[in-house]
Amino acid sequence: MSVIVRLFLMLAAPIAALFVSRDALNFDVVQTIVAVILFTVAVAAVAFWPRRPAKPPSTEPR
């Protein structure tokens, strides 16, 4: 679980650095917000990923 959190925080750090200096006091807060947004987008992408429809039953007589 901590590996996933660290991955999202590592991805969020450069994005947060675009908006706030790394030396700013609120950098950790902005980084956490960006990580939560990235996590939300990842979960939404998995939830709405198109799935292959189930094969319909055959109507041919046996």
Side-chain angles (χ1 to χ4, degrees), residues 30-52:
V30 174
Q31 181 184 9
T32 303
I33 291 171
V34 171
V36 168
I37 291 170
L38 288 174
F39 181 75
T40 305
V41 168
V43 169
V46 170
F48 293 113
W49 192 263
R51 290 180 175 84
R52 177 181 287 175

Side-chain angles (χ1 to χ4, degrees), residues 9-43:
L9 286 174
M10 285 179 9
L11 291 173
I15 297 170
L18 292 173
F19 301 106
V20 178
S21 172
R22 289 185 188 259
D23 296 335
L25 294 175
N26 62 345
F27 178 77
D28 293 333
V29 175
V30 174
Q31 181 184 9
T32 303
I33 291 171
V34 171
V36 168
I37 291 170
L38 288 174
F39 181 75
T40 305
V41 168
V43 169

